[in-house]
Amino acid sequence: MALNHFISYASFLLILAVMVVTVSAEPEYKKPKLEKENLLSTIVGIQGLVYCKSGPKVTPLEGSVARITCEAVDEYGFETAPITILSDATDAKGYFLATISPFEIQNKKKKLTQCKAFLELSPLDSCNVLTDANNGISGALLTSYHLLHEKNMKLFTVGPFIFASESKPVDNGY
């Protein structure tokens, strides 16, 4: 009888040992630790306003497009071809937003160094003359930004940019 209890107890210990080995052999899943700066810099956003100046009247220009051009370097620090993106068309208030994901750039083994925003396209034939107001032609340099923690975005603001209805010079300002 003692032998039966010993065999039962030994069998129980053997089963328990197998269960412990099986559980400990499963891979342990952990969330990766992300550095705060890397997380916040996943998206670069560029926002601005575009207006139409016709005589003394200035109105928001719906449907216009801005161009963002960035200089870049490769993984060794050598200059590469610039990277250019277009913004979405402006809304009824003349607002545009363009976004750049550094993951897309890193996959091409490039790093952005300096970016500028330009006026690109007006939907109106009656208001399609580019002006250099706020560097719309020469390029508004992206220099300072706000961190949008909830969107994990560095948001730059440029402009406002102005298209004109005629070729008269427009003041470089508002």
Side-chain angles (χ1 to χ4, degrees):
M1 176 110 162
L3 187 59
N4 277 342
H5 286 302
F6 177 75
I7 293 174
S8 295
Y9 184 70
S11 297
F12 173 75
L13 288 177
L14 182 61
I15 291 171
L16 185 61
V18 168
M19 288 175 54
V20 167
V21 169
T22 303
V23 169
S24 65
E26 291 180 14
E28 186 175 323
Y29 295 102
K30 292 182 181 178
K31 287 185 176 181
K33 290 184 180 180
L34 298 175
E35 293 179 21
K36 189 173 186 179
E37 181 61 26
N38 286 341
L39 182 63
L40 293 174
S41 65
T42 56
I43 297 174
V44 174
I46 303 93
Q47 69 176 356
L49 296 169
V50 180
Y51 292 105
C52 173
K53 181 171 173 62
S54 182
K57 188 176 179 184
V58 177
T59 57
L61 185 57
E62 183 176 4
S64 61
V65 175
R67 174 176 42 94
I68 314 303
T69 301
C70 299
E71 295 176 10
V73 294
D74 65 14
E75 59 192 305
Y76 304 107
F78 294 107
E79 286 185 26
T80 65
I83 295 168
T84 298
I85 64 162
L86 297 177
S87 71
D88 291 334
T90 55
D91 64 13
K93 295 179 181 178
Y95 175 81
F96 72 85
L97 176 67
T99 57
I100 303 171
S101 169
F103 293 119
E104 294 172 17
I105 305 305
Q106 289 172 354
N107 288 341
K108 297 177 183 176
K109 299 197 187 277
K110 292 183 180 183
K111 180 180 178 187
L112 302 181
T113 57
Q114 177 179 317
C115 297
K116 289 184 177 184
F118 301 85
L119 272 175
E120 182 68 18
L121 176 70
S122 171
L124 301 178
D125 289 335
S126 61
C127 193
N128 63 359
V129 178
L130 296 167
T131 71
D132 203 28
N134 299 306
N135 300 312
I137 294 174
S138 57
L141 189 60
L142 304 183
T143 54
S144 62
Y145 59 87
H146 297 284
L147 290 176
L148 300 180
H149 296 281
E150 69 281 356
K151 295 188 183 251
N152 299 326
M153 180 185 291
K154 288 181 179 178
L155 183 63
F156 294 85
T157 302
V158 296
F161 295 145
I162 299 175
F163 280 101
S165 59
E166 39 189 70
S167 296
K168 289 184 182 179
V170 175
D171 292 336
N172 189 11
Y174 292 58

